[in-house]
Coordinates of all heavy atoms in Angstrom, one line a residue:
M295 N -0.9 7.0 -21.6 CA -0.4 5.9 -20.8 C -0.3 4.6 -21.6 O -1.1 4.3 -22.4 CB -1.4 5.8 -19.6 CG -1.4 6.8 -18.6 SD -0.6 6.3 -17.1 CE -1.7 7.0 -15.9
A296 N 0.7 3.9 -21.2 CA 0.8 2.5 -21.8 C 0.2 1.4 -20.9 O 0.2 1.6 -19.7 CB 2.3 2.2 -22.0
K297 N -0.1 0.3 -21.4 CA -0.7 -0.8 -20.7 C 0.3 -1.9 -20.5 O 0.9 -2.3 -21.5 CB -2.0 -1.2 -21.4 CG -2.9 -2.0 -20.4 CD -4.3 -2.2 -21.0 CE -5.1 -1.0 -21.1 NZ -5.7 -0.4 -19.9
Y298 N 0.3 -2.5 -19.4 CA 1.3 -3.5 -19.0 C 0.7 -4.7 -18.3 O -0.3 -4.4 -17.5 CB 2.4 -3.0 -18.2 CG 3.2 -2.0 -18.8 CD1 2.8 -0.6 -18.7 CD2 4.3 -2.2 -19.5 CE1 3.5 0.4 -19.2 CE2 5.0 -1.1 -20.2 CZ 4.6 0.2 -20.0 OH 5.4 1.2 -20.6
M299 N 1.0 -5.9 -18.6 CA 0.6 -7.0 -17.8 C 1.9 -7.5 -16.9 O 3.0 -7.6 -17.4 CB 0.3 -8.2 -18.7 CG -0.1 -9.5 -17.9 SD -0.7 -10.9 -18.9 CE 0.8 -11.2 -19.9
L300 N 1.6 -7.6 -15.7 CA 2.7 -8.0 -14.7 C 2.3 -9.3 -14.2 O 1.2 -9.5 -13.8 CB 2.8 -7.0 -13.6 CG 3.2 -5.6 -13.8 CD1 2.0 -4.7 -14.3 CD2 3.8 -5.0 -12.6
R301 N 3.2 -10.3 -14.3 CA 3.0 -11.7 -13.8 C 3.9 -11.8 -12.6 O 5.1 -11.3 -12.8 CB 3.4 -12.7 -14.9 CG 2.4 -12.7 -16.1 CD 2.8 -13.8 -17.1 NE 4.2 -13.7 -17.5 CZ 4.6 -12.8 -18.4 NH1 3.8 -11.9 -19.0 NH2 5.9 -12.8 -18.7
A302 N 3.5 -12.4 -11.6 CA 4.4 -12.5 -10.4 C 4.2 -13.9 -9.8 O 3.2 -14.5 -9.9 CB 3.9 -11.5 -9.4
G303 N 5.3 -14.2 -9.2 CA 5.4 -15.5 -8.5 C 6.0 -15.2 -7.1 O 6.9 -14.5 -6.9
Y304 N 5.3 -15.8 -6.1 CA 5.7 -15.5 -4.7 C 6.9 -16.5 -4.3 O 6.9 -17.7 -4.6 CB 4.5 -15.9 -3.7 CG 3.5 -14.6 -3.7 CD1 2.3 -14.7 -4.4 CD2 3.7 -13.6 -2.9 CE1 1.4 -13.7 -4.4 CE2 2.8 -12.6 -2.8 CZ 1.6 -12.6 -3.6 OH 0.8 -11.6 -3.5
S305 N 7.7 -15.9 -3.5 CA 8.8 -16.7 -2.8 C 8.1 -17.2 -1.6 O 6.9 -16.9 -1.2 CB 9.9 -15.8 -2.4 OG 9.6 -14.9 -1.4
R306 N 8.8 -18.1 -0.9 CA 8.3 -18.6 0.5 C 8.0 -17.5 1.4 O 7.0 -17.4 2.0 CB 9.4 -19.6 1.1 CG 8.9 -20.2 2.4 CD 9.7 -21.3 2.9 NE 9.5 -22.4 1.9 CZ 10.2 -23.5 2.0 NH1 11.1 -23.7 2.8 NH2 9.9 -24.4 1.1
E307 N 8.9 -16.5 1.5 CA 8.7 -15.3 2.3 C 7.5 -14.5 1.9 O 6.7 -14.1 2.7 CB 9.9 -14.4 2.3 CG 9.8 -13.2 3.0 CD 11.1 -12.3 2.8 OE1 12.2 -12.8 3.0 OE2 10.8 -11.1 2.5
G308 N 7.3 -14.4 0.5 CA 6.1 -13.6 0.0 C 4.8 -14.4 0.3 O 3.8 -13.8 0.7
L309 N 4.8 -15.7 0.3 CA 3.6 -16.5 0.6 C 3.3 -16.2 2.1 O 2.1 -16.2 2.4 CB 3.8 -18.0 0.2 CG 3.7 -18.3 -1.2 CD1 4.1 -19.8 -1.5 CD2 2.4 -18.0 -1.8
S310 N 4.3 -16.2 2.9 CA 4.0 -16.1 4.4 C 3.4 -14.7 4.6 O 2.4 -14.5 5.4 CB 5.4 -16.1 5.1 OG 5.2 -15.8 6.4
G311 N 3.8 -13.7 3.8 CA 3.1 -12.4 4.0 C 1.8 -12.4 3.4 O 0.8 -11.7 4.0
L312 N 1.5 -13.1 2.3 CA 0.2 -13.2 1.8 C -0.7 -13.8 2.8 O -1.9 -13.4 2.9 CB 0.2 -14.0 0.4 CG -1.2 -14.4 -0.1 CD1 -1.9 -13.1 -0.5 CD2 -0.9 -15.3 -1.4
L313 N -0.3 -14.9 3.4 CA -1.1 -15.6 4.5 C -1.5 -14.6 5.6 O -2.6 -14.7 6.2 CB -0.4 -16.8 5.0 CG -0.3 -17.9 4.0 CD1 0.6 -19.1 4.6 CD2 -1.6 -18.5 3.7
K314 N -0.6 -13.7 6.0 CA -0.8 -12.7 7.0 C -1.8 -11.6 6.6 O -2.7 -11.2 7.4 CB 0.4 -12.1 7.5 CG 1.3 -12.9 8.3 CD 2.7 -12.2 8.7 CE 3.6 -13.2 9.4 NZ 4.9 -12.6 9.7
E315 N -1.6 -11.1 5.4 CA -2.4 -9.9 4.9 C -3.6 -10.3 4.1 O -4.5 -9.5 4.0 CB -1.5 -9.0 4.1 CG -0.4 -8.3 4.8 CD 0.4 -7.3 4.0 OE1 -0.3 -6.6 3.1 OE2 1.5 -7.4 4.0
G316 N -3.6 -11.5 3.5 CA -4.8 -11.8 2.7 C -4.6 -11.2 1.3 O -3.7 -10.3 1.1
G317 N -5.4 -11.7 0.4 CA -5.3 -11.3 -1.0 C -5.7 -9.8 -1.2 O -5.0 -9.1 -2.0
S318 N -6.7 -9.3 -0.6 CA -7.1 -8.0 -0.9 C -6.0 -7.0 -0.1 O -5.9 -5.9 -0.7 CB -8.5 -7.6 -0.4 OG -8.9 -8.4 0.7
G319 N -5.4 -7.4 0.9 CA -4.4 -6.5 1.5 C -3.2 -6.5 0.6 O -2.6 -5.3 0.4
R320 N -2.8 -7.5 -0.1 CA -1.7 -7.4 -1.1 C -2.1 -6.6 -2.3 O -1.3 -5.9 -2.9 CB -1.3 -8.8 -1.5 CG -0.6 -9.6 -0.3 CD 0.4 -8.8 0.5 NE 1.4 -8.2 -0.4 CZ 2.1 -7.1 -0.1 NH1 1.8 -6.4 1.0 NH2 2.9 -6.6 -1.0
R321 N -3.4 -6.8 -2.7 CA -3.8 -5.9 -3.9 C -3.7 -4.5 -3.6 O -3.3 -3.7 -4.3 CB -5.3 -6.3 -4.2 CG -5.8 -5.4 -5.4 CD -7.3 -5.7 -5.7 NE -8.1 -5.6 -4.6 CZ -9.2 -6.1 -4.3 NH1 -9.7 -6.9 -5.3 NH2 -10.0 -5.8 -3.3
A322 N -4.1 -4.0 -2.3 CA -4.1 -2.7 -1.9 C -2.6 -2.2 -2.0 O -2.3 -1.1 -2.4 CB -4.7 -2.5 -0.6
A323 N -1.7 -3.0 -1.4 CA -0.3 -2.6 -1.4 C 0.3 -2.5 -2.8 O 1.0 -1.5 -3.1 CB 0.5 -3.6 -0.6
L324 N -0.1 -3.4 -3.6 CA 0.5 -3.3 -5.1 C -0.2 -2.2 -5.8 O 0.5 -1.5 -6.6 CB 0.3 -4.7 -5.8 CG 1.2 -5.8 -5.1 CD1 0.7 -7.1 -5.6 CD2 2.7 -5.5 -5.6
A325 N -1.4 -1.9 -5.6 CA -2.1 -0.8 -6.3 C -1.4 0.5 -5.8 O -1.1 1.4 -6.6 CB -3.5 -0.7 -5.8
E326 N -1.0 0.6 -4.4 CA -0.2 1.8 -4.0 C 1.0 2.0 -4.7 O 1.5 3.1 -5.1 CB 0.0 1.7 -2.5 CG -1.2 2.0 -1.7 CD -0.9 1.9 -0.1 OE1 0.3 1.9 0.2 OE2 -1.9 1.6 0.6
T327 N 1.7 0.9 -4.9 CA 3.0 0.9 -5.6 C 2.9 1.4 -7.0 O 3.6 2.3 -7.5 CB 3.7 -0.4 -5.6 OG1 3.9 -0.9 -4.3 CG2 5.0 -0.4 -6.3
I328 N 1.8 1.0 -7.7 CA 1.6 1.3 -9.1 C 1.2 2.8 -9.2 O 1.7 3.6 -10.0 CB 0.6 0.4 -9.8 CG1 1.3 -1.0 -10.0 CG2 0.1 1.0 -11.1 CD1 0.4 -2.1 -10.4
E329 N 0.4 3.2 -8.2 CA -0.1 4.6 -8.2 C 1.1 5.6 -7.8 O 1.2 6.7 -8.4 CB -1.1 4.7 -7.2 CG -2.5 4.1 -7.6 CD -3.5 3.9 -6.5 OE1 -3.3 4.4 -5.4 OE2 -4.6 3.3 -6.8
A330 N 2.0 5.1 -7.0 CA 3.2 5.9 -6.7 C 4.1 6.2 -8.0 O 4.8 7.2 -8.0 CB 4.0 5.2 -5.6
A331 N 4.0 5.3 -9.0 CA 4.7 5.4 -10.2 C 3.9 6.2 -11.2 O 4.3 6.3 -12.4 CB 5.1 4.1 -10.8
G332 N 2.7 6.8 -10.8 CA 1.9 7.5 -11.7 C 0.9 6.7 -12.5 O 0.3 7.2 -13.5
G333 N 0.7 5.5 -12.1 CA -0.2 4.6 -12.9 C -1.5 4.3 -12.1 O -1.7 4.7 -11.1
T334 N -2.2 3.4 -12.7 CA -3.4 2.8 -12.1 C -3.5 1.3 -12.3 O -3.1 0.8 -13.4 CB -4.8 3.5 -12.7 OG1 -4.7 3.2 -14.1 CG2 -4.8 4.9 -12.4
L335 N -4.0 0.6 -11.4 CA -4.2 -0.8 -11.5 C -5.5 -1.1 -12.0 O -6.6 -0.7 -11.4 CB -4.0 -1.5 -10.0 CG -4.2 -2.9 -9.9 CD1 -3.1 -3.6 -10.8 CD2 -4.1 -3.4 -8.5
E336 N -5.6 -1.7 -13.2 CA -6.9 -2.0 -13.9 C -7.5 -3.4 -13.4 O -8.7 -3.5 -13.3 CB -6.7 -2.0 -15.3 CG -7.9 -2.3 -16.2 CD -7.6 -2.2 -17.7 OE1 -6.9 -1.3 -18.1 OE2 -8.0 -3.3 -18.3
A337 N -6.6 -4.4 -13.3 CA -7.1 -5.7 -12.9 C -6.1 -6.4 -12.1 O -4.9 -6.2 -12.2 CB -7.4 -6.5 -14.2
F338 N -6.5 -7.3 -11.2 CA -5.7 -8.0 -10.3 C -6.3 -9.4 -10.0 O -7.4 -9.4 -9.6 CB -5.6 -7.2 -9.0 CG -4.7 -7.8 -8.0 CD1 -3.4 -7.2 -7.8 CD2 -5.1 -8.8 -7.1 CE1 -2.6 -7.8 -6.8 CE2 -4.3 -9.3 -6.1 CZ -3.0 -8.8 -6.0
Y339 N -5.6 -10.4 -10.4 CA -6.1 -11.8 -10.2 C -5.0 -12.7 -9.7 O -3.9 -12.7 -10.2 CB -6.6 -12.3 -11.6 CG -7.9 -11.7 -12.0 CD1 -7.7 -10.6 -12.9 CD2 -9.0 -12.0 -11.5 CE1 -8.9 -9.9 -13.4 CE2 -10.2 -11.4 -12.0 CZ -10.1 -10.4 -12.9 OH -11.3 -9.7 -13.4
Y340 N -5.4 -13.6 -8.8 CA -4.5 -14.7 -8.4 C -4.9 -15.9 -9.3 O -6.0 -15.9 -9.9 CB -4.8 -15.1 -7.0 CG -4.2 -14.1 -6.0 CD1 -4.9 -13.2 -5.4 CD2 -2.8 -14.2 -5.7 CE1 -4.4 -12.2 -4.5 CE2 -2.3 -13.3 -4.8 CZ -3.0 -12.2 -4.3 OH -2.5 -11.4 -3.4
A341 N -3.9 -16.8 -9.5 CA -4.2 -17.9 -10.4 C -3.4 -19.1 -10.0 O -2.4 -19.0 -9.3 CB -3.7 -17.5 -11.9
F342 N -3.9 -20.3 -10.5 CA -3.1 -21.5 -10.4 C -2.3 -21.6 -11.6 O -2.6 -21.1 -12.7 CB -4.1 -22.7 -10.4 CG -5.1 -22.7 -9.3 CD1 -6.5 -22.8 -9.6 CD2 -4.7 -22.7 -8.0 CE1 -7.4 -22.8 -8.5 CE2 -5.6 -22.8 -7.0 CZ -7.0 -22.8 -7.2
G343 N -1.1 -22.2 -11.4 CA -0.2 -22.4 -12.6 C 1.1 -21.8 -12.4 O 1.7 -21.6 -11.3
E344 N 1.8 -21.4 -13.5 CA 3.1 -21.0 -13.5 C 3.3 -19.8 -12.7 O 4.3 -19.5 -12.1 CB 3.6 -20.8 -15.0 CG 5.1 -20.5 -15.1 CD 5.5 -20.4 -16.5 OE1 5.0 -21.1 -17.4 OE2 6.4 -19.6 -16.8
S345 N 2.4 -18.8 -12.9 CA 2.4 -17.5 -12.1 C 1.4 -17.5 -11.1 O 0.3 -18.1 -11.2 CB 2.2 -16.3 -13.1 OG 3.3 -16.2 -13.9
D346 N 1.6 -16.9 -9.9 CA 0.6 -16.8 -8.8 C -0.3 -15.7 -9.0 O -1.4 -15.6 -8.4 CB 1.4 -16.7 -7.5 CG 2.3 -17.8 -7.2 OD1 1.8 -18.9 -7.4 OD2 3.4 -17.6 -6.8
L347 N 0.1 -14.6 -9.7 CA -0.6 -13.4 -9.7 C -0.4 -12.7 -11.1 O 0.6 -12.7 -11.7 CB 0.0 -12.4 -8.7 CG -0.3 -11.0 -8.5 CD1 -1.8 -10.9 -8.1 CD2 0.5 -10.3 -7.5
Y348 N -1.6 -12.1 -11.6 CA -1.6 -11.4 -12.9 C -2.2 -10.0 -12.5 O -3.2 -9.9 -11.9 CB -2.4 -12.1 -13.9 CG -1.9 -13.4 -14.3 CD1 -2.0 -14.6 -13.7 CD2 -1.0 -13.4 -15.5 CE1 -1.4 -15.7 -14.2 CE2 -0.5 -14.5 -16.0 CZ -0.6 -15.8 -15.3 OH 0.0 -16.8 -15.8
M349 N -1.5 -8.9 -13.1 CA -2.1 -7.6 -12.9 C -2.0 -6.9 -14.3 O -1.1 -7.2 -15.1 CB -1.2 -6.8 -12.0 CG -1.3 -7.2 -10.6 SD -0.2 -6.3 -9.4 CE 1.4 -7.1 -9.8
I350 N -3.0 -6.1 -14.6 CA -3.0 -5.3 -15.7 C -2.9 -3.8 -15.1 O -3.7 -3.4 -14.3 CB -4.2 -5.4 -16.6 CG1 -4.4 -6.8 -17.1 CG2 -4.2 -4.4 -17.8 CD1 -3.3 -7.3 -18.0
A351 N -1.9 -3.0 -15.6 CA -1.7 -1.7 -15.1 C -1.5 -0.8 -16.2 O -0.9 -1.1 -17.3 CB -0.6 -1.6 -14.2
D352 N -2.0 0.5 -16.0 CA -1.7 1.6 -16.9 C -0.5 2.4 -16.3 O -0.7 2.7 -15.1 CB -2.9 2.5 -17.1 CG -3.9 1.9 -18.0 OD1 -3.6 1.3 -19.0 OD2 -5.2 2.0 -17.6
L353 N 0.5 2.6 -17.0 CA 1.7 3.3 -16.5 C 2.2 4.4 -17.5 O 1.9 4.2 -18.7 CB 2.9 2.4 -16.1 CG 2.6 1.5 -14.8 CD1 3.4 0.2 -14.9 CD2 2.9 2.4 -13.7
P354 N 2.8 5.5 -17.0 CA 3.1 6.5 -17.9 C 4.1 6.1 -19.0 O 4.0 6.5 -20.2 CB 3.8 7.5 -17.1 CG 3.3 7.3 -15.7 CD 3.0 5.7 -15.6
D355 N 5.0 5.2 -18.8 CA 6.0 4.8 -19.8 C 6.8 3.5 -19.3 O 6.6 3.1 -18.2 CB 7.0 5.9 -20.0 CG 7.5 6.6 -18.7 OD1 7.9 5.8 -17.8 OD2 7.7 7.8 -18.6
D356 N 7.7 3.1 -20.2 CA 8.5 1.9 -19.9 C 9.4 2.1 -18.6 O 9.5 1.1 -17.9 CB 9.4 1.5 -21.0 CG 8.6 1.0 -22.2 OD1 7.4 0.6 -22.1 OD2 9.2 0.9 -23.3
A357 N 9.9 3.2 -18.5 CA 10.8 3.6 -17.3 C 9.9 3.4 -16.0 O 10.5 2.9 -15.0 CB 11.3 5.0 -17.4
S358 N 8.7 3.8 -16.0 CA 7.9 3.7 -14.8 C 7.5 2.3 -14.6 O 7.5 1.8 -13.4 CB 6.6 4.5 -15.0 OG 6.8 5.9 -15.2
A359 N 7.3 1.5 -15.7 CA 7.0 0.1 -15.5 C 8.2 -0.6 -14.9 O 8.1 -1.5 -14.1 CB 6.6 -0.6 -16.9
A360 N 9.4 -0.3 -15.4 CA 10.6 -0.9 -14.9 C 10.9 -0.5 -13.5 O 11.3 -1.3 -12.6 CB 11.8 -0.4 -15.7
A361 N 10.5 0.7 -13.1 CA 10.7 1.2 -11.7 C 9.8 0.3 -10.8 O 10.2 -0.1 -9.7 CB 10.4 2.6 -11.6
V362 N 8.5 0.1 -11.2 CA 7.7 -0.8 -10.4 C 8.2 -2.2 -10.2 O 8.2 -2.7 -9.2 CB 6.2 -0.8 -11.1 CG1 5.4 -1.9 -10.4 CG2 5.5 0.6 -10.9
S363 N 8.6 -2.7 -11.3 CA 9.2 -4.1 -11.3 C 10.4 -4.2 -10.4 O 10.5 -5.1 -9.6 CB 9.5 -4.5 -12.7 OG 10.1 -5.9 -12.7
L364 N 11.3 -3.2 -10.5 CA 12.5 -3.2 -9.6 C 12.1 -3.0 -8.2 O 12.7 -3.7 -7.3 CB 13.4 -2.0 -10.1 CG 14.1 -2.3 -11.5 CD1 14.7 -0.9 -11.9 CD2 15.1 -3.4 -11.4
A365 N 11.3 -2.1 -7.9 CA 10.8 -1.9 -6.5 C 10.2 -3.1 -5.9 O 10.5 -3.5 -4.7 CB 9.9 -0.7 -6.4
I366 N 9.3 -3.8 -6.6 CA 8.7 -5.0 -6.1 C 9.7 -6.1 -6.0 O 9.8 -6.8 -4.9 CB 7.5 -5.4 -7.0 CG1 6.4 -4.4 -6.9 CG2 7.0 -6.7 -6.5 CD1 5.3 -4.6 -7.9
S367 N 10.5 -6.4 -7.0 CA 11.4 -7.5 -7.0 C 12.6 -7.4 -6.1 O 13.1 -8.3 -5.5 CB 12.0 -7.6 -8.5 OG 10.9 -8.1 -9.3
A368 N 13.0 -6.1 -5.7 CA 14.2 -5.9 -4.9 C 13.9 -6.4 -3.5 O 14.9 -6.7 -2.8 CB 14.5 -4.4 -4.9
V369 N 12.6 -6.5 -3.1 CA 12.3 -6.9 -1.7 C 12.6 -8.4 -1.6 O 12.9 -8.9 -0.5 CB 10.8 -6.5 -1.3 CG1 10.5 -7.1 0.0 CG2 10.8 -5.0 -1.4
G370 N 12.4 -9.2 -2.7 CA 12.6 -10.6 -2.7 C 11.4 -11.4 -2.3 O 11.5 -12.7 -2.4
A371 N 10.3 -10.9 -2.2 CA 9.1 -11.6 -1.7 C 8.3 -12.1 -3.0 O 7.6 -13.0 -3.0 CB 8.2 -10.9 -0.8
I372 N 8.5 -11.3 -4.1 CA 7.8 -11.6 -5.4 C 8.7 -11.4 -6.5 O 9.5 -10.5 -6.5 CB 6.6 -10.7 -5.5 CG1 5.6 -10.8 -4.4 CG2 5.9 -11.0 -6.9 CD1 4.4 -9.8 -4.6
H373 N 8.7 -12.4 -7.5 CA 9.5 -12.2 -8.7 C 8.5 -11.6 -9.7 O 7.4 -12.3 -9.9 CB 10.1 -13.5 -9.2 CG 10.8 -13.3 -10.5 ND1 10.0 -13.5 -11.7 CD2 12.0 -13.0 -10.9 CE1 10.9 -13.4 -12.7 NE2 12.0 -13.0 -12.2
V374 N 8.8 -10.5 -10.4 CA 7.9 -9.9 -11.4 C 8.4 -10.0 -12.8 O 9.6 -9.8 -13.0 CB 7.6 -8.4 -11.0 CG1 6.7 -7.8 -12.0 CG2 7.0 -8.3 -9.7
S375 N 7.6 -10.3 -13.8 CA 7.9 -10.1 -15.2 C 6.8 -9.3 -15.7 O 5.7 -9.3 -15.4 CB 8.1 -11.4 -15.9 OG 6.9 -12.1 -15.9
I376 N 7.2 -8.4 -16.7 CA 6.3 -7.4 -17.3 C 6.2 -7.6 -18.8 O 7.2 -7.8 -19.4 CB 6.8 -6.0 -17.1 CG1 6.7 -5.7 -15.5 CG2 5.9 -5.0 -17.8 CD1 7.1 -4.3 -15.2
T377 N 5.0 -7.6 -19.4 CA 4.8 -7.6 -20.7 C 4.1 -6.3 -21.2 O 3.1 -5.9 -20.5 CB 3.9 -8.8 -21.1 OG1 4.6 -10.0 -20.7 CG2 3.6 -8.9 -22.6
V378 N 4.6 -5.6 -22.2 CA 4.0 -4.4 -22.8 C 2.8 -5.0 -23.6 O 2.9 -5.9 -24.5 CB 5.0 -3.7 -23.7 CG1 4.2 -2.4 -24.3 CG2 6.2 -3.2 -22.9
L379 N 1.7 -4.4 -23.4 CA 0.5 -4.8 -24.1 C 0.1 -3.7 -25.2 O 0.4 -2.5 -25.0 CB -0.8 -4.9 -23.2 CG -0.6 -5.9 -22.0 CD1 -1.8 -5.9 -21.1 CD2 -0.4 -7.3 -22.6
I380 N -0.2 -4.1 -26.4 CA -0.5 -3.2 -27.4 C -2.0 -3.5 -27.9 O -2.4 -4.6 -27.9 CB 0.5 -3.3 -28.6 CG1 0.5 -4.7 -29.2 CG2 1.8 -2.9 -28.1 CD1 1.4 -4.8 -30.4
T381 N -2.6 -2.4 -28.5 CA -4.0 -2.5 -28.9 C -4.0 -3.0 -30.3 O -3.0 -3.0 -31.1 CB -4.6 -1.1 -28.9 OG1 -3.9 -0.3 -29.8 CG2 -4.5 -0.4 -27.5
P382 N -5.2 -3.5 -30.7 CA -5.4 -3.9 -32.1 C -5.1 -2.7 -33.1 O -4.6 -3.0 -34.2 CB -6.9 -4.3 -32.1 CG -7.2 -4.6 -30.8 CD -6.4 -3.7 -29.9
E383 N -5.4 -1.5 -32.7 CA -5.1 -0.3 -33.6 C -3.6 -0.1 -33.7 O -3.1 0.2 -34.8 CB -5.7 0.9 -33.0 CG -7.3 0.9 -33.0 CD -7.9 0.0 -31.9 OE1 -7.1 -0.2 -30.9 OE2 -9.1 -0.2 -32.1
T384 N -2.8 -0.5 -32.8 CA -1.3 -0.4 -32.9 C -0.9 -1.5 -33.8 O 0.1 -1.3 -34.6 CB -0.7 -0.5 -31.5 OG1 -1.1 0.6 -30.6 CG2 0.9 -0.5 -31.6
V385 N -1.5 -2.7 -33.7 CA -1.1 -3.7 -34.7 C -1.5 -3.3 -36.1 O -0.7 -3.6 -37.1 CB -1.9 -5.0 -34.3 CG1 -1.7 -6.1 -35.4 CG2 -1.3 -5.6 -33.0
D386 N -2.6 -2.6 -36.3 CA -3.0 -2.0 -37.6 C -1.9 -1.2 -38.1 O -1.6 -1.1 -39.3 CB -4.4 -1.4 -37.5 CG -5.5 -2.3 -37.3 OD1 -5.4 -3.5 -37.5 OD2 -6.6 -1.8 -36.9
E387 N -1.4 -0.2 -37.2 CA -0.4 0.7 -37.6 C 0.9 -0.1 -38.1 O 1.6 0.3 -39.1 CB 0.0 1.6 -36.5 CG -1.0 2.6 -36.3 CD -0.7 3.6 -35.1 OE1 0.5 3.9 -35.0 OE2 -1.6 3.9 -34.2
A388 N 1.2 -1.1 -37.4 CA 2.4 -1.9 -37.6 C 2.3 -2.7 -39.0 O 3.2 -2.7 -39.8 CB 2.7 -3.0 -36.6
V389 N 1.1 -3.2 -39.2 CA 0.9 -3.9 -40.5 C 1.0 -2.9 -41.7 O 1.4 -3.3 -42.7 CB -0.6 -4.6 -40.4 CG1 -1.0 -5.1 -41.8 CG2 -0.6 -5.7 -39.4
A390 N 0.7 -1.7 -41.5 CA 0.7 -0.7 -42.5 C 2.0 -0.2 -42.9 O 2.3 0.4 -43.9 CB -0.2 0.5 -42.2
K391 N 3.0 -0.6 -42.0 CA 4.4 -0.1 -42.2 C 5.1 -1.2 -43.1 O 4.9 -2.4 -42.9 CB 5.1 0.0 -40.9 CG 4.6 1.2 -40.1 CD 5.4 1.4 -38.8 CE 4.8 2.5 -37.9 NZ 5.1 3.8 -38.4
S392 N 6.0 -0.7 -43.9 CA 6.8 -1.6 -44.8 C 8.2 -1.7 -44.2 O 8.9 -0.7 -44.1 CB 6.8 -1.0 -46.2 OG 7.6 -1.9 -47.0
V393 N 8.6 -2.9 -43.8 CA 9.9 -3.1 -43.3 C 10.5 -4.3 -44.0 O 9.9 -5.4 -44.2 CB 9.8 -3.5 -41.7 CG1 11.1 -3.8 -41.2 CG2 9.1 -2.4 -41.0
S394 N 11.7 -4.2 -44.4 CA 12.4 -5.3 -45.2 C 13.2 -6.1 -44.1 O 13.6 -5.7 -43.1 CB 13.4 -4.7 -46.2 OG 14.4 -4.1 -45.5
Y395 N 13.2 -7.4 -44.4 CA 13.9 -8.4 -43.6 C 14.4 -9.5 -44.4 O 13.8 -10.0 -45.4 CB 12.8 -9.0 -42.6 CG 13.3 -10.2 -41.8 CD1 14.3 -10.0 -40.8 CD2 12.9 -11.4 -42.1 CE1 14.7 -11.1 -40.1 CE2 13.4 -12.5 -41.4 CZ 14.4 -12.3 -40.3 OH 14.8 -13.4 -39.6
R396 N 15.7 -10.0 -44.1 CA 16.3 -11.1 -44.7 C 16.3 -12.3 -43.7 O 16.9 -12.2 -42.7 CB 17.7 -10.7 -45.2 CG 18.4 -11.8 -46.0 CD 19.8 -11.5 -46.4 NE 20.7 -11.2 -45.2 CZ 21.2 -12.1 -44.4 NH1 20.9 -13.5 -44.6 NH2 21.9 -11.8 -43.3
A397 N 15.8 -13.4 -44.1 CA 15.8 -14.6 -43.3 C 17.2 -15.1 -43.2 O 18.0 -14.9 -44.0 CB 14.8 -15.7 -43.9
P398 N 17.6 -15.7 -42.0 CA 18.9 -16.2 -41.9 C 19.2 -17.3 -43.0 O 18.5 -18.1 -43.4 CB 18.8 -17.0 -40.5 CG 17.7 -16.4 -39.9 CD 16.7 -15.9 -40.8
G399 N 20.4 -17.1 -43.6 CA 20.9 -17.9 -44.6 C 20.3 -17.6 -46.0 O 20.7 -18.2 -47.0
A400 N 19.4 -16.6 -46.1 CA 18.8 -16.3 -47.4 C 19.7 -15.4 -48.2 O 20.5 -14.7 -47.8 CB 17.5 -15.6 -47.2

């Protein structure tokens, strides 16, 4: 399973729903959505700032992550962006690979 960070911002309609259901009600609904895609919700936090909501989820693959994002965003109550998270060990593997690159204009 791959790990993803989902950042979300509520629309006015979404905030209205949040006020009706409360934070834990929305957490349960979003956990169900992630589980329906074969994943698990690891962390769920509301926040002040640019994004209203942060989630960490384990999902089977990028297509499953995209399916979750599309399903949530299609309703229009929440705008979702997803970041693929990688482990320090994956960075170690990347550092060990030799890749050539030419800077622009070089």
Side-chain angles (χ1 to χ4, degrees):
M295 289 252 224
K297 199 167 290 288
Y298 300 87
M299 178 177 61
L300 295 85
R301 291 179 312 278
Y304 281 99
S305 68
R306 179 170 290 177
E307 176 184 310
L309 286 172
S310 177
L312 173 63
L313 290 171
K314 286 180 186 174
E315 291 186 42
S318 27
R320 294 312 309 151
R321 179 182 57 205
L324 290 161
E326 283 180 22
T327 300
I328 290 168
E329 290 165 6
T334 56
L335 181 61
E336 180 181 310
F338 183 99
Y339 291 96
Y340 286 98
F342 298 124
E344 188 175 328
S345 295
D346 299 315
L347 175 62
Y348 291 87
M349 295 177 278
I350 303 293
D352 288 313
L353 287 156
D355 49 40
D356 291 346
S358 299
V362 166
S363 177
L364 290 169
I366 294 170
S367 295
V369 174
I372 301 177
H373 174 271
V374 177
S375 63
I376 297 182
T377 301
V378 179
L379 301 176
I380 58 174
T381 64
E383 292 77 17
T384 300
V385 171
D386 291 345
E387 288 178 38
V389 169
K391 294 182 183 285
S392 176
V393 177
S394 64
Y395 171 73
R396 183 185 59 77

